[in-house]
Amino acid sequence: MRKLLFESLIRPPLTERPPRVSDAAVDELARALNGVAHRRLGRSLSIRAVDAGSCNGCELEMHALNNAFYDIERFGIRFVASPRHADVLLVTGPVTKNMRDALKRTYDATPNPKWVVALGDCALNGGCFAGSYAVVGGVSEALPVDLHIPGCPPPPIEILKGLLALLEGVNSRAAIARA
Amino acid sequence: MPALTDLILAAEGVDNHLPWPRAVVTSKEWSFAVEQLAEGHWSLLGLWGEPGTVHMALLDEAVWDIGVVSLLCPDGRYPSVGLLHPPALRLERAVADLFGLLPQGAPDTRRWLDHGHWGVSFPLSARVQTAAAAAPPYQFLPVEGESLHQIPVGPVHAGIIEPGHFRFTASGETVVRLEEGLGYTHKGMEGLMAGSDIDHAAKLAGRTSGDSTVAYALAFCRAVEAALGIEVPARAVWLRALMAELERLANHLGDIGAICNDAAFALMHAHCGVLRERVLRASDAAFGHRLMRDRVVPGGVAIDLNDEGTTAIRSLIAEIRQRFPALVELYDNTASLQDRTVATGRLRVELARQYRAGGYVGRASGRDFDARRSLAYPPYDALNFNVPLLQEGDVNARVWIRIHEVEQSLSLVEQILRQLPGGPIRVDFARTGGPHEGMALVEGFRGDILAWLRIGKSGLIERCHLRDPSWFQWPLLEAAIEGNIVADFPLCNKSFNCSYSGHDL
Ligand code: SF4
């Protein structure tokens, strides 16, 4: 173990520069965040991931956000264990009918102000699974969605861009509210 | 003891079912097959339904024979397999939910995938019914005894994992029973497959379980190619194996780290996470997608490997070879970690055999089966590799199997790069003239995946069934956790790493 720890002292960090936030995502967000009180958020964002019937591909890329390359916590973004600690629900999957209640209950357990981010193509409108007797067809069929991050699955860098957009939107609004 | 072939030969064979035979049997022959299963002579590869018919795929390990037996059940009933052979129980419950076919004499007739929310009953049967407004609440098995308490967990979990329900009954800290409730991610995959064209169905197949997208696409495509008699170009065959091994590497590296993380050993997690990310990036550089989704397609592969991709994979292999041994040493020499993994979550050899546990779950409990070697589909028949085997069946053994498989995969990737033939990567094929039926068994990182399908005259998929290895591993997790403490459940669970989405379909 000593060898590994020592090596990591002399190796350059793997962490990459934060991505530029895409303008389209910011726009979508600004529209979504109409006049809610964001002041309480500050420079932090707690996320509760909810798998509402995904194939698990989206979750794999969410996991990758915690690895040394993306190191999401440096942006003040972290995944939390309970919806009660969360600002954002990051929801994946076409929302199966078997998960709809659990998703709603998770949403209800999340304190205000809260945002819902739909992650992946399935979460937009059911993707490949649209039309099945077993799926609701997109997160917005079950909850109000503030931001959608496309991809199947979206690579970590795209998820990060979306979340940064959310954060920046939240903060610029908060600044306006303070002024 | 009669061979599987004898049973199939004696029964009414079905034309155009490739590469293994299928036969329609009488209920007496069906029951005979069930006896063979129960006595351990044959093993169950899968059990699935169709309106009015139930199918069972069997493996005779003595001679490596595979066959499918089908029983017509015009009155919607068939003799239960699960009655004598418990590994079939959940499959039967799924068939009952989807097709309304009832196993006679089955000891467990509770619903499984159908939680009463679909708005329909028996969605894939010929007589779909509007479901009763309120389904009765699910009954967990009764547990009686002094000072027992229950802990319900899920379907929404504390981590970033798939949804499922766990009902623990504990005596103090010790788990006396775990019962799983699954089906939360049921997306109606087989319903979507029916009637879709082959290319679209291949896309769906690749989305059965996100971490096994290559393996599922491969199983589906091999079944299509078997059915239609398509000869896939050699280069495509080798590229498919290259992708499959990269997928295995990424998953095993991720799992090794995640298991250690569940024992609060974050250093391993961090280092394994870096290596996993490297694999995904190399896969992206080589095949244009981090998980290589939609890259294995009917008739070949969707993208060719160029020099840049080859270089990316070569340097990936060099990096893992350089860094991985230190991590293995770290795992092996950290007493506090071993304290958590050794003798934890032990799965008995006999149970692994009875349930024909695939992948690292089976191989850590003495079950010497790997579809890449046992069925030797190309190009594995031309490659050198070992199938690691351990008997202990604990969390530690499942970690070690993964470690050895990482080493094997590294060597396989190198061999593939060295021997990769040139030429085209995809063939066009005729999609009509059916019906044709095909089947494939492919080794995913988690174990063997079965794909069975029928292509109709029009070239559309009439029926497709995909069986995840997790069907036979989930019940074993319930057995392995018994007598362990609740706090060790995450370790046991992660070391099994069963798929929810693949199982729920
Ligand atoms: S968007 Fe793609 S990766 Fe995400 S859950 Fe859907 S199929 Fe899986």
Side-chain angles (χ1 to χ4, degrees), chain A residues 54-58 93 120-122 129 151-153, chain B residues 207 293:
Chain A
S54 100
C55 79
N56 198 34
C58 284
D121 291 349
C122 290
F129 304 105
C152 182
Chain B
R207 283 158 179 77
R293 178 152 282 168

Side-chain angles (χ1 to χ4, degrees), chain A residues 13-89:
Chain A
L14 295 165
T15 318
E16 300 183 328
R17 306 180 62 120
R20 278 198 30 241
V21 177
S22 93
D23 296 341
V26 181
D27 286 352
E28 190 180 348
L29 183 88
R31 269 201 310 281
L33 290 177
N34 248 333
V36 195
H38 312 302
R39 248 163 299 156
R40 276 182 267 164
L41 277 179
R43 272 297 290 181
S44 86
L45 200 66
S46 295
I47 300 177
R48 175 64 255 213
V50 187
D51 177 336
S54 100
C55 79
N56 198 34
C58 284
E59 277 67 27
L60 292 175
E61 294 297 48
M62 253 191 247
H63 273 291
L65 288 173
N66 282 319
N67 74 30
F69 290 90
Y70 305 104
D71 186 21
I72 193 174
E73 295 214 1
R74 74 196 146 121
F75 302 112
I77 302 175
R78 61 199 184 104
F79 288 97
V80 293
S82 164
R84 304 216 183 269
H85 304 157
D87 307 306
V88 170
L89 291 184

Side-chain angles (χ1 to χ4, degrees), chain B residues 128-166:
Chain B
V128 185
Q129 290 171 8
T130 319
Y138 190 77
Q139 294 290 327
F140 283 93
L141 298 174
V143 192
E144 284 168 18
E146 255 181 65
S147 68
L148 295 179
H149 61 282
Q150 289 205 341
I151 313 170
V153 180
V156 178
H157 298 285
I160 308 176
I161 62 170
E162 299 180 81
H165 185 84
F166 298 112

Side-chain angles (χ1 to χ4, degrees), chain A residues 1-5 7-8 11 14 16 48-70 79-83 93-103 106 121-122 127-135 152-157, chain B residues 98 113-120 123-124 155-163 182-189 191-192 200 203-204 206-211 251 265 267 269-271 273-278 280-281 289-291 293 319 323 326-327 329-330 334 446 494 501:
Chain A
M1 170 142 51
R2 238 176 293 147
K3 204 173 91 199
L4 269 176
L5 290 175
E7 256 183 31
S8 49
R11 265 165 67 189
L14 295 165
E16 300 183 328
R48 175 64 255 213
V50 187
D51 177 336
S54 100
C55 79
N56 198 34
C58 284
E59 277 67 27
L60 292 175
E61 294 297 48
M62 253 191 247
H63 273 291
L65 288 173
N66 282 319
N67 74 30
F69 290 90
Y70 305 104
F79 288 97
V80 293
S82 164
V95 186
T96 60
K97 290 189 180 162
N98 287 351
M99 269 307 285
R100 177 165 42 185
D101 285 352
L103 175 62
T106 309
D121 291 349
C122 290
C128 277
F129 304 105
S132 164
Y133 63 87
V135 310
C152 182
I157 209 82
Chain B
L98 299 177
L113 298 177
D114 183 354
H115 296 189
H117 300 302
W118 297 337
V120 290
L124 305 185
V156 178
H157 298 285
I160 308 176
I161 62 170
E162 299 180 81
L182 300 175
Y184 290 93
T185 71
H186 178 74
K187 294 181 269 289
M189 182 73 90
L192 290 163
H200 182 68
K203 280 197 159 161
L204 279 167
R207 283 158 179 77
T208 312
S209 178
D211 51 23
N251 285 317
F265 197 69
L267 184 65
H269 185 49
H271 281 278
V274 166
L275 292 184
R276 177 185 155 86
E277 177 71 20
R278 295 271 195 225
L280 298 186
R281 289 182 176 198
H289 191 285
R290 287 162 55 89
L291 302 179
R293 178 152 282 168
E319 173 164 6
R323 302 214 176 278
L327 298 177
E329 204 186 306
L330 178 62
T334 307
R446 193 176 266 126
K494 193 72 216 180
S501 182

